[in-house]
Amino acid sequence: MPRKANLATRVVHAGNGPDGPSGTLVPPLQMSVVYSHGNSRAYSYGRDHNENWERLEGALADLEEGQGALIFGSGMAAISAVLESCGSGAKVVAAQDSYIGTRELLSHLTAGGRCSAELVDATDLAAVRRACQGAALLLIESLGNPLLTVPDIERCAEIAHQAGAVIVVDNTFTTPLLVQPLRLGADVVVHSLSKHIGGHSDLMLGAVITNISDLLPKLRYHRSNSGAIPGQLETWLALRGMRTLDVRLRRQTESAAFLAARLGESPAVTRIHYPGLADHPQHAVALRQMTRGFGAMLAVELDCDADTAERVCGSTRIWTNATSLGSVESLLERRARWAGEEHVPDNLLRLSVGVEDAHDLLQDLTQAIALALPAGAV
Ligand SMILES: Cc1ncc(COP(=O)(O)O)c(C=O)c1O
């Protein structure tokens, strides 16, 4: 697929290609892990390489516009491989509102003496500059979790590079369709493909895409020898899911913007966090950085306590009270229910907007709020 085609076209075709004499349009699911010696692709054993992985990796490298990509068994396996690639004792700076699993992994690595970690407000560039002194790696997310903060990736990349650090951006919340961190100066992009790219809550995979050519062989070595490899079926499903990424994300993004506007009219809602709203603290950065929409995630604060907010989550009929994001089904949860998210307001619900009808989603949330909150508050 030529680079000049629009991303909406590339998601449909990237990683496809004529499949030999049979001419199948859909790439075959290749299950073999054993190859006869002397084959034309020089494949030897399934833990090292196979055609399913290479198709998905080629597609991800194309969409993120990186030199190459490697997939892993989960988003955490991808992040862990990148952290592992830093030398022993390296200083890692990470956004303070990174995914809980990432923060958990960093404290585990720190406790074991593998690295030292400093958490920073990635929207505060002076703080990022201070923290990056002596750092080997800066790890930020394209949208913070769960308040949907928007770090300025271009400026963070400049700061990291001036300090001699590599900058890694977790692009799970936005995908290359909304943000392309490598084009903004990042060195490495990581993904949980279990979210928007898979898109159907039925697979776990992760990916690393980079422009640092000598990082790829290191990560490949780690993947082969740590043995934490992606499954063949999941890989095939992820490429299949990617085909509809643009149409899904367009609908989800439109619905999220609609919900952000309409929920703001409810007296039961005290605050909405959505980068597309003019009163979002980093709206100006979002306008510059997110050229195709502001994403499918929003967070709402309700005029109630934690128990009542939990009751709202339990009273919806279309939204599922569950932890994840980016899928066709809409999900919500009270984020402060998790250890590690104590700083998140008790009354805050994180919403991952699916592809259902936006008016149905609004109506369902409104009835759940009316059921749970005392009359008069709604
Ligand atoms: C931003 C982000 N990065 C990474 C991960 C980890 O991905 P996985 O669950 O595929 O390991 C998650 C999981 O929710 C996430 O939200």
Side-chain angles (χ1 to χ4, degrees):
M1 184 55 33
R3 276 273 153 95
K4 61 184 179 313
N6 193 289
L7 284 164
T9 303
R10 276 148 59 190
V11 293
V12 179
H13 295 282
N16 269 358
D19 184 52
S22 66
T24 57
L25 174 64
V26 176
L29 168 60
Q30 180 54 262
M31 292 303 282
S32 183
V33 296
V34 177
Y35 301 86
S36 58
H37 293 313
N39 67 77
S40 61
R41 297 202 175 166
Y43 289 153
S44 52
Y45 187 49
R47 182 154 41 74
D48 297 321
H49 33 216
N50 63 67
E51 190 178 323
N52 305 311
W53 294 356
E54 286 176 8
R55 281 184 186 275
L56 180 56
E57 288 166 351
L60 290 166
D62 177 68
L63 300 177
E64 289 285 10
E65 307 198 2
Q67 274 180 25
L70 279 181
I71 58 165
F72 290 83
S74 67
M76 284 315 300
I79 293 166
S80 167
V82 171
L83 293 176
E84 179 75 25
S85 73
C86 296
S88 189
K91 176 178 175 187
V92 175
V93 177
Q96 65 191 12
D97 54 357
S98 301
Y99 170 56
I100 314 177
T102 302
R103 284 183 278 128
E104 180 66 37
L105 176 64
L106 279 172
S107 43
H108 173 74
L109 294 175
T110 308
R114 277 278 299 113
C115 68
S116 67
E118 182 172 339
L119 298 181
V120 69
D121 175 356
T123 66
D124 177 345
L125 295 173
V128 174
R129 189 180 297 283
R130 277 194 302 277
C132 278
Q133 292 315 308
L137 191 141
L138 170 65
L139 171 58
I140 60 174
E141 300 192 355
S142 54
L143 285 177
N145 189 358
L147 298 182
L148 290 319
T149 53
V150 189
D152 184 329
I153 296 174
E154 213 164 357
R155 296 286 292 115
C156 284
E158 279 166 22
I159 292 170
H161 292 154
Q162 279 160 11
V166 162
I167 170 165
V168 181
V169 179
D170 184 328
N171 201 18
T172 300
F173 272 38
T174 40
T175 85
L177 292 185
L178 302 186
V179 177
Q180 286 177 299
L182 297 180
R183 293 187 69 161
L184 296 171
D187 303 300
V188 180
V189 169
V190 291
H191 275 279
S192 167
L193 305 177
S194 327
K195 314 298 183 193
H196 280 292
I197 291 185
H200 296 76
S201 312
D202 56 7
L203 66 92
M204 298 208 83
L205 282 182
V208 179
I209 303 102
T210 185
N211 274 330
I212 306 178
S213 45
D214 63 355
L215 181 61
L216 286 167
K218 272 195 205 171
L219 295 176
R220 193 185 295 283
Y221 179 90
H222 170 87
R223 180 178 68 182
S224 281
N225 295 300
S226 69
I229 56 160
Q232 313 266 47
L233 177 60
E234 287 84 347
T235 306
W236 188 90
L237 280 171
L239 195 58
R240 205 262 296 259
M242 183 194 286
R243 301 303 178 220
T244 55
L245 179 61
D246 183 68
V247 283
R248 282 186 283 112
L249 204 54
R250 268 174 205 260
R251 162 78 87 115
Q252 290 166 289
T253 294
E254 265 176 41
S255 298
F258 167 79
L259 289 169
R262 294 297 298 276
L263 286 168
E265 294 164 4
S266 165
V269 174
T270 53
R271 191 154 177 207
I272 307 229
H273 303 263
Y274 186 62
L277 293 178
D279 66 356
H280 183 284
Q282 294 89 39
H283 181 60
V285 181
L287 277 174
R288 221 181 325 119
Q289 203 160 269
M290 305 179 74
T291 47
R292 297 169 98 246
F294 301 104
M297 302 295 293
L298 67 151
V300 294
E301 291 182 45
L302 299 176
D303 188 11
C304 67
D305 59 14
D307 289 345
T308 313
E310 281 292 353
R311 276 208 301 283
V312 172
C313 296
S315 305
T316 51
R317 297 175 190 138
I318 298 173
W319 297 80
T320 302
N321 183 9
T323 301
S324 194
L325 64 116
S327 186
V328 289
E329 309 89 1
S330 293
L331 308 180
L332 87 174
E333 72 170 344
R334 195 177 68 83
R335 198 62 188 169
R337 75 201 306 276
W338 294 108
E341 298 280 54
E342 291 83 4
H343 56 285
V344 175
D346 252 1
N347 59 344
L348 180 140
L349 307 187
R350 188 185 79 169
L351 311 184
S352 169
V353 180
V355 299
E356 302 94 336
D357 179 80
H359 289 91
D360 286 346
L361 291 175
L362 177 64
Q363 197 279 330
D364 189 35
L365 268 181
T366 312
Q367 69 76 29
I369 292 171
L371 270 180
L373 263 71
V378 185

